[in-house]
Structure formats: C-alpha cells, structure tokens
Amino acid sequence: MPSHAQNQRTTPVPSGAAEVPADTSPAPLRRERDHLAASRAALRAMREDVEALDISDVTGNWVDAKILASTIDARIKALADLSDTPLFFGRLDYEHAPGVELAEGAQGESFYIGRRHVHDAEGEPMVIDWRAPVSQPFYRASRAEPMDVLLRRRFGYTGGELTAYEDEHLTDPGESETASKLLQTEIERPRVGPMRDIVATIQPEQDEIVRAGVTGTVCVQGAPGTGKTAVGLHRVAYLLYAHRERLARTGTLVIGPNASFLRYIEQVLPALGELHVKQATVDDLVAHVPVRGADPADAARIKGDARMAEVLRRAVRSGIRMPTEGVVVVRGSRRWRVPAYELEEIVREMAERDIRYGAAHDALPQRIAHAVLVQMERAGEAPDDRVQDAVARNTAVKAAVKQCWPPVDPAKLVLRLLSEPEFLAQAAEGILDAQEQQTILWAKPARGLASAKWSAADAVLVDEARDLVQRTPSLGHVVLDEAQDLSPMQYRAVGRRCSTGSATVLGDIAQGTTPWSTASWAEALRHLGKPGSRVEELTRGFRVPREVIAYASRLLPEIAPDLAPATSVREAGGDFAVRPVGAGELTAAVVAACEEALAHEGSIGLIAADPDVAALGAALDAAGLAYLAPGEETSAQARLTLVPASLAKGLEYDYVVLAEPAAIVAAEPDRRTGLRRLYVTLTRAVSGLTVLHAQELPAALAG
C-alpha cells in the first residue's frame, strides 16, 4: 500500500487564506491540497449564501419569522469550517460511474469522502457526506469484494494541513494487502480535549452497525477499545441523515451513565454536523422527584427488580371500587338514572381492558354519559355531542367517577407504598416476601412529598407509576450507552422512551459494576421491551494497546466467563509497566509517574479508588501539578485528570497511571464488582499504562 508523506515548508500567506505548499510537493499531493483549498472556499461560499438570505418579507407572522430565523441560524452553524478538522479524509475512484443517484444530485467516477457535503457554485459535489450510499465502499470495500472501487485513497493531516496520502488499489493483483499506516496513525493519535469522532477510521464491522435500519433495535456487546460508544454516536448521525424527516418529528436521544461521560462525548455529533441531539442520564429521564437520599445495595437491588412493575400496577389500581348505587342525572325537568348494575358493567369493562389508569379515568365520564344519552334517545329526544359532554361534566357523574375510579398521584402513591407496611403488603402479596418488603420500606416514613428523601431507585419507581397513569411519549430512536449497569426497572424507564421507536444498546457485560448489573443481553432487551433484537459483538480493539488488553483480560474468567477475550489490532504494544513500591511510598511514586507521563504528548489520567482521591489530589497540589476533574475538557495547558474509579467508565486517556488495584477492588461491596471495576480502569489507556501497587495484586493479575 503506497504511502506518501511530505514534510515540506509552507510559504507564509495572509491570515485566513489557505497555506500554499512549497514547489517541492509531489504533484498528486499538490493537487489534493488544491482540492482541499477549493473545497474550503466552496464551503465558505455556501455559508455566505445562507448568511445573505433576506427573510424580512417572506413570513406571515412573527412566529413563522422566529422559526425560519432559527432554522437559518442552525444551517449557518452546520456549515462552519473547523480549521483543525479535515474537511475530507478519503477518496474513492470507481471503475464505473455508480448507478445510484446521490441525494446531492451528483454522479461520477471519483468522490472525496468527508464529514459533510460540499458543492461548488454550479451545484457539483466537491466533498460527499460519509453517510451517503456512494461513500459506503470507503469502509466496506476489500480485495475480496472491491465493490467496483479501483482506488481507495486515505489522507493524513497535521492540524488542518494535508500532509500525506496512501493508496490502496483494490483490483491490482500485483499489490499485496498490508495494514494502513495512516489508519493506524489516526487511531493512535494522541488526544487532548473531548472525545473525537472516528469517521475516518470506521471499520467494516462497525460500519455494518452504524448503517443498520432505523426500524430495528441493535445491541452491541463491545470489549474495551472496540469503539462501541463512537459507533452508537455515528449511528445517530447516520440515521438523522438517512431518515431526517422521520426523526425530526419523533426525536432522538443519547443516554449516558453520568454527566462527566456526556461532557466527554458531547462534541462528536456537532463535528459530524448534527447540532440538536439531546443527551441525558437515566436519572435525568426520571427526575420527577428530588433525589436527596441513597439506598443500601440490597434495597436498591429489590427496587430495581422487574417484579416491582407488577407491585406498582396493583398499587395504582388498588383504588378502583365497584359502585354500590346508581347515578341520577338531572337535566331540566327530567331525571335520568343509570342503575348500579349497569354502572358496574362499565367500570368492570374499563378495568378488564387494562388501559392506562389515567386514560380510563378520563374516559369513564363519557361512558356514563353515553348510557344516559341512550335513555334519552329511547325517550324520543335527539341529543348531540354537546349534550353528552354536558352530562359527562354533571356533578353526579363526576362524584361517581371519583368514587369508582379515584385520581392517582404517582409520587404520592410511591410515597405511600414505601411508608405503609399494610399497603405494600397488599400490593406485593405473592411477589415480594416479607423480608424483601421490610428491606424496601423507609425506616423513617416521610410526612409528605416535600420532606421525602427520595433515592435514585425511588425516582424510577415514580416514573413507572407515572406511565401506568399516563403514557410516556416515545422518541424515534434512543442510544443507550454503558447499558450493562442498568437495573431491570431502569431498562423499562428507557424502553418507555422508545416504545414506538428503536434503540441502539451499547455495553460490556464484563464492565457491569452495579449490584443489579446485566447478566445477559437477552434479559436486558426483554426488560427494554425489545425482545429478540439483534445482538452484535465487537471484540477487535482499536484503541487499547495489545499488552494492556491482554493483561486486563486475565480477569475475565472470574468476572465474565462467557465472554471471549478482546484482541487488539494495534501493532504497538504500548508503554506498559506494573511497578511494586514499598509501604508508604505509593503516593510519591504516583506523583513521579504522573510527571513521567506528562513528558509524553496527549492526555493523562490518574485513576484511583474513590476513597484515595482526596489524598492524591493534595499530593498533586503539593507537587505543583495542576489537574482536572472527570468531564472537564483537557487542553495543552491542562492535560492531567484525577479520576475516581467509579467515574472512569467510558473515558479514555493517552496515558493512564493506575494507583493500587487492591484498593479499587476493596472499595466495592463485593469482590466480583470490585474486579469488574478494576477491569474498567485497566482498559482506559490508549498509548501507555503504569500500574503502581504497595499491596498484593489480585491473584489473576499476580500470575
């Protein structure tokens, strides 16, 4: 695979203009730079055209004007040229002109593949969006299946400057197949700042998941470093491109494990031109009550059990009563009576239909009013819809509904369920045993909603109760990351948000670190309301060095024996060291290792057990080493982040210093969870990992 790199000087040019390469540049590289400069100029012209639009006289009212102005503003932002981000990263030369008409209206034999579509003044494409059908062979074509591609060219960049290219002739029998050096360099490139997109390095197995249809749910079991988070985000970007009108109506949502994680990934979609995808944690979704308390692990496990859904259903419907007397409606000089037996038939039918409690409460007055209208018609009257509505609002009808089908406040219902042993026993009979009921009851019942010390698990129960009363609106597509840590009730909460849409579920069973963590994806998908959905497994790691993933995988037989160990396609083993230190020397050794790591380019993560973070932070302060908290954006001036082990999941750093593995294990409630937490922390490194320990290592690692 021929590779052409150029380390030439550049001629100084005025500010804002493209740099002009020295004449010593190879002709193909010079032509590609010319195309890059022309493409950037075309993108600026596209943005200027939008900025120049005059909408002062094209809207009928101020509401339309605001909406149109907002749309234009979003378009201007989407057309921004990020100077340090490659506008295109590849080129495809087809043997024949593709037969598929592009969305951009272009056909041809050569296409530049980039993050967004760019066209010239005549509308001819200069850069094709990576999501367009004609771009797919850039990720999928191979010598075995060239997909009509003669040449695949990859480009290398330094900052925003095109510095190299690499050609792969897919139909040339004389060219041997070798690994792409530019691809490897891009994967291993040090990172400072938030998570980057992987649009230039998407692999065939990843692309298959990214481009899966919008109607089906996909679950991705991904080992560390396999890019599952990036795959999920790129899938959102692809679906918004391929099904924009549909998803514009129904909405999309990315769900992450915590706010630090969301801050880390938040720049990926804007870099791909998608500015309006909402992000949230599960706690954000169910924030109907203020969370001020915490549950012991055993109580949280029971509250998160799927059996609680039936307990809540019984509690919500426990107030339904069969009428003991009929309803008399007075209209003018006439009295209309609905006897008790007929009223009971109506109530019983509503109960047996099992429709949502609130919907039935709203429908019941109309059903009673209809029974009255039937009597009116039999008496020779001709009532219309207005009469029925008036009867439904009659005081006697409303009183009967309140008696038979009283309104339910979801938060008050859960408060009562967790405060009153008799009410809980009634709802949980045959579902939870006496010990389980006692475990989830509040030791000190709250006097009311305002004083209740709700836990995160309680908030999920309130969300379930709300859905039993009134249907939760569904989105078109939801991406759920780090899903292995959700309880069955949390899965149900997410599933309600995509009940009529689809989901992309991302996770790793081996990284489950909650007491209720997922045992199998089949079970998780069932709780999500998507049973039988497709499950894909990613085992080829691209970011974690080979030696590091092999070391961490020693824990798999104990923490996830059914999972195959991940493999790394990285040729370099990375900087990897396990260093024992003497008692009392750990803190000094950690500070020295951080100073050593900072001599390298890229981001540095110091990961330690949560109880040890404060002391290590003080030691870093004393040594004059500035550090960030997880989720804070790194920069060239601040590259070191101090990370509690509990927040390390989903984050990556070029170099990781890991302090005292035994302490990380001991900080968790049980050994399996502790070893899983350790597995997570061991696999956060991209270029190098240094493990420091004064205590004995876990047996699997010591071997």
Side-chain angles (χ1 to χ4, degrees):
M1 184 181 298
S3 183
H4 309 269
Q6 183 71 12
N7 297 315
Q8 81 300 321
R9 292 174 291 104
T10 57
T11 304
V13 293
S15 175
E19 288 190 338
V20 179
D23 290 338
T24 55
S25 302
L29 186 61
R30 189 162 55 246
R31 287 195 297 269
E32 299 295 14
R33 286 174 169 169
D34 289 343
H35 187 79
L36 176 61
S39 298
R40 288 197 182 280
L43 181 59
R44 286 196 299 274
M46 290 170 62
R47 182 177 173 126
E48 289 166 0
D49 286 345
V50 179
E51 290 174 333
L53 290 174
D54 182 3
I55 62 171
S56 57
D57 296 323
V58 299
T59 56
N61 54 64
W62 70 271
V63 176
D64 291 342
K66 287 284 188 182
I67 294 173
L68 183 56
S70 175
T71 302
I72 291 175
D73 184 59
R75 176 67 173 163
I76 291 171
K77 290 178 181 178
L79 290 171
D81 186 4
L82 307 177
S83 59
D84 60 345
T85 302
L87 188 57
F88 57 78
F89 47 80
R91 194 183 95 190
L92 289 177
D93 291 356
Y94 280 90
E95 184 172 3
H96 307 96
V100 179
E101 185 73 13
L102 301 178
E104 292 82 2
Q107 286 186 314
E109 296 182 351
S110 293
F111 302 94
Y112 287 85
I113 312 302
R115 285 171 169 74
R116 58 156 303 105
H117 171 72
V118 179
H119 61 256
D120 62 16
E122 285 73 41
E124 291 298 319
M126 301 186 72
V127 180
I128 300 294
D129 195 302
W130 67 275
R131 297 167 288 187
V134 77
S135 303
Q136 184 172 339
F138 183 79
Y139 304 107
R140 302 255 190 120
S142 64
R143 294 187 182 281
E145 189 178 354
M147 302 176 71
D148 205 37
V149 173
L150 287 173
L151 172 74
R152 174 166 50 203
R153 174 169 287 180
R154 299 182 190 275
F155 297 107
Y157 287 82
T158 301
E161 182 186 2
L162 197 160
T163 56
Y165 69 90
E166 182 181 73
D167 287 343
E168 187 178 3
H169 299 274
L170 298 180
T171 58
D172 186 352
E175 186 176 307
S176 59
E177 185 165 6
T178 58
S180 167
K181 297 295 184 183
L182 287 181
L183 186 65
Q184 191 76 17
T185 300
E186 174 62 22
I187 289 173
E188 298 176 5
R189 179 161 59 96
R191 61 180 62 200
V192 173
M195 180 180 177
R196 291 197 304 259
D197 63 71
I198 62 165
V199 64
T201 62
I202 293 172
Q203 299 298 293
E205 65 270 29
Q206 296 173 325
D207 188 65
E208 184 178 349
I209 297 169
V210 167
R211 297 177 191 264
V214 70
T215 57
T217 289
V218 180
C219 176
V220 182
Q221 159 62 41
T226 55
K228 57 183 178 294
T229 295
V231 165
L233 296 175
H234 285 66
R235 175 158 166 73
V236 171
Y238 170 77
L239 292 176
L240 286 169
Y241 174 89
H243 308 279
R244 188 168 301 279
E245 184 176 340
R246 172 177 180 169
L247 292 179
R249 294 193 309 269
T250 55
T252 54
L253 176 67
V254 175
I255 302 174
N258 52 58
S260 297
F261 178 84
L262 293 178
R263 286 195 297 271
Y264 177 62
I265 68 171
E266 67 183 355
Q267 294 303 316
V268 172
L269 287 167
L272 298 172
E274 300 301 340
L275 305 174
H276 302 295
V277 178
K278 293 182 179 180
Q279 298 181 344
T281 65
V282 173
D283 289 343
D284 293 334
L285 297 182
V286 300
H288 311 300
V289 292
V291 174
R292 295 193 292 262
D295 286 312
D298 54 349
R301 187 183 297 109
I302 297 170
K303 289 179 181 179
D305 193 298
R307 293 177 296 166
M308 288 301 298
E310 176 60 21
V311 174
L312 286 165
R313 193 194 72 82
R314 289 184 183 179
V316 166
R317 302 175 71 82
S318 63
I320 299 175
R321 297 286 183 269
M322 292 301 141
T324 56
E325 57 185 28
V327 176
V328 178
V329 176
V330 178
R331 281 185 60 80
S333 61
R334 301 294 300 271
R335 295 164 61 88
W336 308 97
R337 178 181 178 82
V338 180
Y341 75 86
E342 187 174 350
L343 192 58
E344 180 178 343
E345 288 178 0
I346 295 173
V347 173
R348 196 175 298 281
E349 180 191 352
M350 299 291 282
E352 290 174 352
R353 287 175 60 190
D354 202 26
I355 62 177
R356 277 177 168 74
Y357 189 91
H361 177 273
D362 295 341
L364 190 55
Q366 291 289 337
R367 292 295 306 275
I368 297 173
H370 177 73
V372 172
L373 260 65
V374 169
Q375 294 185 30
M376 290 181 176
E377 290 171 347
R378 288 173 180 167
E381 297 189 16
D384 56 17
D385 291 344
R386 290 174 297 178
V387 174
Q388 181 166 332
D389 290 340
V391 172
R393 294 192 301 269
N394 182 273
T395 302
V397 172
K398 290 194 292 186
V401 170
K402 184 176 181 180
Q403 179 189 18
C404 299
W405 208 284
V408 168
D409 181 296
K412 289 181 179 178
L413 178 98
V414 175
L415 178 70
R416 183 185 174 198
L417 197 67
L418 299 176
S419 302
E420 298 181 14
E422 297 81 6
F423 186 49
L424 176 60
Q426 176 188 353
E429 183 180 0
I431 301 174
L432 303 179
D433 62 32
Q435 181 59 51
E436 289 174 320
Q437 294 176 34
Q438 186 62 40
T439 299
I440 65 173
L441 280 168
W442 286 346
K444 186 178 180 181
R447 294 182 178 179
L449 294 177
S451 62
K453 292 186 177 180
W454 301 100
S455 69
D458 297 335
V460 179
L461 298 181
V462 174
D463 189 71
E464 179 83 24
R466 284 172 62 95
D467 186 70
L468 288 165
V469 174
Q470 206 71 43
R471 180 183 296 276
T472 303
S474 174
L475 297 163
H477 192 80
V478 168
V479 173
L480 174 62
D481 205 353
E482 300 297 345
Q484 72 281 342
D485 280 338
L486 269 61
S487 70
M489 291 299 286
Q490 287 175 316
Y491 276 117
R492 290 176 61 89
V494 174
R496 287 191 281 277
R497 272 75 185 179
C498 57
S499 59
T500 60
S502 57
T504 300
V505 181
L506 312 165
D508 180 10
I509 297 293
Q511 295 186 57
T513 52
T514 54
W516 49 81
S517 55
T518 301
S520 73
W521 291 122
E523 177 186 338
L525 289 167
R526 180 166 51 82
H527 294 313
L528 191 70
K530 308 293 183 184
S533 295
R534 166 182 166 194
V535 179
E536 296 285 347
E537 187 170 2
L538 296 177
T539 59
R540 290 206 310 156
F542 301 97
R543 297 288 295 170
V544 184
R546 181 182 303 157
E547 291 183 17
V548 172
I549 194 65
Y551 184 72
S553 293
R554 295 181 186 181
L555 298 172
L556 285 179
E558 190 167 350
I559 63 174
D562 295 333
L563 292 184
T567 59
S568 177
V569 300
R570 296 273 296 273
E571 294 184 359
D575 295 332
F576 175 62
V578 180
R579 300 175 187 169
V581 299
E585 301 175 1
L586 181 66
T587 300
V590 167
V591 173
C594 290
E595 293 174 332
E596 180 183 328
L598 285 166
H600 297 283
E601 183 184 1
S603 57
I604 315 298
L606 168 56
I607 305 178
D610 289 32
D612 298 340
V613 166
L616 288 175
L620 293 175
D621 288 333
L625 295 181
Y627 61 91
L628 305 168
E632 293 183 338
E633 186 170 332
T634 56
S635 65
Q637 293 73 37
R639 298 186 291 123
L640 173 62
T641 303
L642 178 55
V643 188
S646 63
L647 295 181
K649 194 170 296 179
L651 305 179
E652 284 184 346
Y653 302 93
D654 289 295
Y655 289 86
V656 168
V657 176
L658 182 67
E660 201 60 88
I664 292 174
V665 176
E668 300 298 328
D670 60 80
R671 178 174 173 78
R672 190 191 75 158
T673 303
L675 290 175
R676 286 185 167 186
R677 183 76 71 190
L678 179 58
Y679 179 78
V680 170
T681 60
L682 285 170
T683 53
R684 300 304 95 199
V686 173
S687 297
L689 171 66
T690 300
V691 179
L692 300 169
H693 66 100
Q695 303 178 41
E696 287 189 11
L697 291 170
L701 297 183

